[in-house]
Amino acid sequence: MVFVMSTKTPRGPSDDFSGRLRSYFVIPVASDPPMDPARTGALESDWREIEMSEHKTGTREEWQAARDELAKLEAEQAEQDKEIKKKRLDLPWVPVEKEYEFDTEEGKKTLAELFDGRSQLLAYNIMFGPDYTVGACPGCTNLGDGLDGSLIHLKHRDVTLICFSRAPIERLTEYKRRMGWEFPYVSTYNTDFAFDFGLALTEEQAQEVAEIKEMIDSPPEELQEWSDQTGAELKDGLREAPSWIAFARENGTVYHTYTVMAPDPFVRPYFSFLLERTPKAQSPENRAWRKDEYPD
């Protein structure tokens, strides 16, 4: 199950760009550990129910007529996407005037150095805070699993792709090794970066968000399971925001250009887009599993 919460982000004195009005937190809930046969059986039951569901059948002519109608809607969506892309490119670039220094596997680096000689930097903020004792959010982990294949193609198009998290670099490196990831994984630990750019909330900011406070005080069972999977208390775990953020570098200046947060569809694992084109509906439980924790 996926819990979605949208909140207004408290603006602080360190905010260095305008227009960040909302933060979104998507909590993809992972399962209990694989050794729990009751939960495993329940999941398999969900899939069997989907496999047994009936669906209308028809002739090739009926299929073509329905497909043509769908194609009209898809074409309309494509045109709207063109307009959205244009507006996205038209967003003003905001100079990043504050100096940041990050921990990487290769030592300390500035924001400009993270570009690795290219003019564009695209980063995904994985929910993995300093208080996550087990590992990163399983849903964010699923998204990370799909990034490595794009590295070579983005590099040849003047884009450096990385991931951020607030946990210390030693834990990020260990988790990266466990997941078999190749992309650069950068720690924002002990910096203001995540808070300045709305990728995380401070403890004080989180207390001001009614939705977060309600979920901490009365968490549903699924959210408590997610807490167990990350090893973070909800008061800490819910302060991280799954987000894509982009920067440009020009004439020695770094600019913030774009941020998008869940529940925008872009903040989803790539395989979820593939599943949208498959013939069967997905399990309503919509669980996120780390790839080394599937029961089979």
Side-chain angles (χ1 to χ4, degrees):
M1 185 177 294
V2 179
F3 289 87
V4 180
M5 174 173 58
S6 63
T7 68
K8 289 191 178 296
T9 304
R11 297 180 60 80
S14 60
D15 291 345
D16 61 356
F17 64 93
S18 61
R20 191 183 78 241
L21 297 180
R22 304 178 72 84
S23 288
Y24 298 91
F25 297 80
V26 170
I27 312 300
V29 180
S31 70
D32 287 337
M35 67 285 295
D36 185 342
R39 297 309 299 263
T40 301
L43 181 66
E44 292 175 348
S45 176
D46 286 343
W47 286 109
R48 283 197 298 270
E49 182 178 347
I50 292 172
E51 292 175 356
M52 294 173 62
S53 64
E54 294 183 359
H55 197 282
K56 63 181 179 182
T57 59
T59 64
R60 172 59 58 180
E61 291 74 21
E62 290 171 332
W63 179 90
Q64 189 63 60
R67 183 65 187 89
D68 290 345
E69 286 298 312
L70 176 59
K72 295 177 183 178
L73 293 176
E74 291 174 335
E76 292 174 4
Q77 184 182 53
E79 286 300 315
Q80 186 179 36
D81 287 344
K82 289 181 182 179
E83 180 64 21
I84 292 173
K85 180 179 179 180
K86 181 179 182 300
K87 289 185 178 297
R88 186 183 300 128
L89 293 174
D90 287 342
L91 287 172
W93 292 9
V94 181
V96 179
E97 299 177 350
K98 192 171 182 177
E99 293 292 333
Y100 298 99
E101 192 174 58
F102 307 95
D103 291 321
T104 77
E105 297 173 81
E106 300 170 347
K108 297 282 187 180
K109 288 188 178 183
T110 65
L111 183 57
E113 289 172 331
L114 295 181
F115 282 73
D116 197 24
R118 301 177 184 87
S119 71
Q120 300 169 92
L121 178 69
L122 181 63
Y124 180 67
N125 187 62
I126 294 176
M127 296 178 72
F128 193 173
D131 301 292
Y132 288 41
T133 60
V134 175
C137 164
C140 289
T141 301
N142 289 175
L143 188 151
D145 288 339
L147 297 181
D148 283 341
S150 298
L151 290 174
I152 185 65
H153 304 290
L154 292 176
K155 287 179 180 179
H156 281 82
R157 288 161 175 81
D158 193 32
V159 178
T160 295
L161 176 66
I162 68 172
C163 283
F164 287 123
S165 283
R166 285 204 310 121
I169 186 62
E170 296 80 11
R171 291 170 58 200
L172 301 191
T173 301
E174 179 183 355
Y175 195 72
K176 174 182 174 179
R177 186 181 304 112
R178 171 187 168 186
M179 294 295 112
W181 292 336
E182 297 179 8
F183 55 77
Y185 201 0
V186 177
S187 174
T188 60
Y189 184 65
N190 277 341
T191 75
D192 295 328
F193 179 82
F195 305 114
D196 290 349
F197 287 92
L199 306 181
L201 297 176
T202 65
E203 293 183 23
E204 293 75 16
Q205 288 172 333
Q207 286 295 319
E208 297 175 12
V209 180
E211 292 94 331
I212 293 180
K213 193 172 188 308
E214 180 180 353
M215 296 178 81
I216 292 173
D217 293 341
S218 303
E221 179 182 355
E222 293 86 353
L223 190 56
Q224 186 57 57
E225 290 175 2
W226 177 87
S227 174
D228 294 339
Q229 286 294 307
T230 60
E233 295 183 37
L234 292 179
K235 67 179 181 64
D236 300 313
L238 294 180
R239 295 196 289 116
E240 311 299 321
S243 320
W244 282 99
I245 188 166
F247 298 90
R249 186 168 59 93
E250 190 172 89
N251 298 324
T253 300
V254 173
Y255 300 87
H256 172 247
T257 64
Y258 180 67
T259 301
V260 63
M261 302 179 181
D264 187 280
F266 189 61
V267 190
R268 288 164 49 191
Y270 179 67
F271 69 77
S272 67
F273 295 96
L274 301 179
L275 289 173
E276 288 181 354
R277 296 302 189 269
T278 57
K280 294 180 180 179
Q282 295 304 301
S283 167
E285 193 169 15
N286 196 25
R287 290 179 177 274
W289 298 70
R290 296 187 183 97
K291 60 187 176 185
D292 59 356
E293 293 179 340
Y294 280 102
D296 57 354

